[in-house]
Amino acid sequence: MVGVNATPNPVSASVPAPAPAPDRLCTGLSWFEERPALTAVDGGDLRLKALAPGTRLALTWSGRRRCIGWTAPGTGRTPCAGDADIDAGSTLAQCPACQNRDHGLAIARDRITDDGRSYQLYLAWFAPGMLKVGITAVQRGVARLLEQGAIGYTLIATGPLPAIRRAELTLSASGLAKERYRSRAKVEAWWGLPDAEGLRSALTEARSRALRILADHVVEAFPDGPIIDNTAFFGLTDGAPATYHEVEALDDTGTLVGEVRTVIGKHVLVAVDDGAPLLLDTRLLAGRHTVAAGDGARVGGMRTAERRRPLVYDTPTLF
């Protein structure tokens, strides 16, 4: 030890110790009124960091990764009772107990219970051949669709949870649409999005087929609801950048500094000082202690993989 006095200094002894750094736990990215923001809990307060295109993003994370708890309608986020640790590479920052207590149980296949709320049945389009069926509470608006990064979507029916969930299962079983797509498949599809008419035609035809399949279901159908195209909204008019670095994992400590180019679902594309932009699945940040990065901070503490637009050969033969 160096520079430690054996005799206490009476002046310095009267100075209060510095306050500890805030225990600010990042809970991921959410959409509020069609605007994305990183969220964190600081004591009992919810903190938001807007992520509009052009926003400067500068944060540092450190410490063990913790379960972010669970949510319930109208109650906000409840901390994890066990204060569980979460695997550093997981995109789901919840322990099994909190996963079960979250909204998942209410919509489980084998426990379709009516929670008193109205639900919407939707078709979400991610790319040609990638159609998803899902449900979301009416009170959430279209937040669920934006969180999934739906390039296009249309709402096709509304009703109580049991009826809407049965309709979802019927459409999934028919083969018209799946209930889930892997995040990697969605991201890879950004390079090959068709023009607006292709999206619109695909959703119009799918909606007509879906409503025919659901003709005997007791739901309120929307045969002429709007078809929404989010291609420009997500900054994908020209597709994803030809080259970018995708963050595959975060180290225990690291820093991200750059300018937000766009936010697509839970992914944020960040322009950095050196090299190609970074694509981060913000679910990797959830459960980590975060603070604002200081001046002069540089990007580090993450493992990335380079992604390049696949070559497309238009001609059937060379000769």
Side-chain angles (χ1 to χ4, degrees):
M1 297 178 66
V2 179
V4 177
N5 295 323
T7 304
N9 185 317
V11 175
S12 62
S14 64
V15 178
D23 185 17
R24 184 169 297 176
L25 190 70
C26 180
T27 52
L29 184 147
S30 296
W31 287 78
F32 302 91
E33 298 180 349
E34 301 187 26
R35 291 179 292 181
L38 274 179
T39 59
V41 288
D42 184 356
D45 298 327
L46 177 66
R47 306 288 184 180
L48 305 180
K49 167 63 178 176
L51 293 183
T55 302
R56 175 174 167 76
L57 181 60
L59 60 85
T60 294
W61 62 89
S62 62
R64 67 187 182 93
R65 193 180 186 198
R66 290 163 40 198
C67 173
I68 61 173
W70 62 288
T71 58
T75 64
R77 184 164 294 279
T78 301
C80 176
D83 196 30
D85 285 352
I86 300 298
D87 182 82
S90 173
T91 55
L92 185 61
Q94 287 179 300
C95 67
C98 287
Q99 291 177 41
N100 289 336
R101 296 184 72 179
D102 219 326
H103 66 278
L105 267 184
I107 312 176
R109 289 175 182 269
D110 57 345
R111 301 180 68 176
I112 307 175
T113 57
D114 192 346
D115 63 2
R117 295 186 293 170
S118 293
Y119 281 79
Q120 301 173 113
L121 181 69
Y122 63 79
L123 291 175
W125 185 95
F126 298 98
M130 293 180 65
L131 187 69
K132 177 185 182 297
V133 60
I135 69 177
T136 184
V138 170
Q139 68 188 54
R140 292 204 68 203
V142 299
R144 174 74 179 135
L145 288 146
L146 295 174
E147 289 169 1
Q148 296 178 69
I151 306 302
Y153 67 86
T154 185
L155 304 176
I156 61 174
T158 188
L161 177 56
I164 290 296
R165 179 60 173 145
R166 282 192 290 269
E168 180 189 29
L169 293 174
T170 297
L171 292 183
S172 176
S174 74
L176 174 67
K178 293 184 178 181
E179 290 186 73
R180 181 170 298 179
Y181 282 97
R182 294 178 64 87
S183 176
R184 177 98 290 275
K186 295 179 188 178
V187 172
E188 289 178 350
W190 294 343
W191 275 313
L193 297 177
D195 59 22
E197 188 52 41
L199 179 157
R200 189 171 200 80
S201 297
L203 275 173
T204 300
E205 179 182 353
R207 179 176 61 189
S208 296
R209 289 180 57 195
L211 293 178
R212 286 197 297 270
I213 293 170
L214 299 177
D216 61 345
H217 280 246
V218 184
V219 294
E220 182 182 350
F222 300 145
D224 300 311
I227 290 175
I228 306 301
D229 182 350
N230 282 330
T231 307
F233 180 74
F234 285 147
L236 291 173
T237 302
D238 298 319
T243 302
Y244 61 86
H245 291 111
E246 184 172 11
V247 178
E248 295 189 322
L250 300 179
D251 295 339
D252 290 341
T253 301
T255 299
L256 176 60
V257 179
E259 181 179 294
V260 175
R261 287 182 54 170
T262 189
V263 179
I264 309 163
K266 297 284 188 177
H267 288 78
V268 56
L269 188 68
V270 182
V272 295
D273 290 339
D274 301 322
L278 286 173
L279 182 70
L280 172 67
D281 185 338
T282 56
R283 293 177 297 177
L284 292 172
L285 277 174
R288 300 181 184 276
H289 301 268
T290 56
V291 295
D295 294 339
R298 299 181 64 84
V299 174
M302 59 186 74
R303 284 161 279 171
T304 64
E306 185 179 72
R307 308 294 186 192
R308 290 181 177 272
R309 185 192 302 270
L311 294 175
V312 178
Y313 298 95
D314 294 328
T315 54
T317 180
L318 295 176
F319 304 101

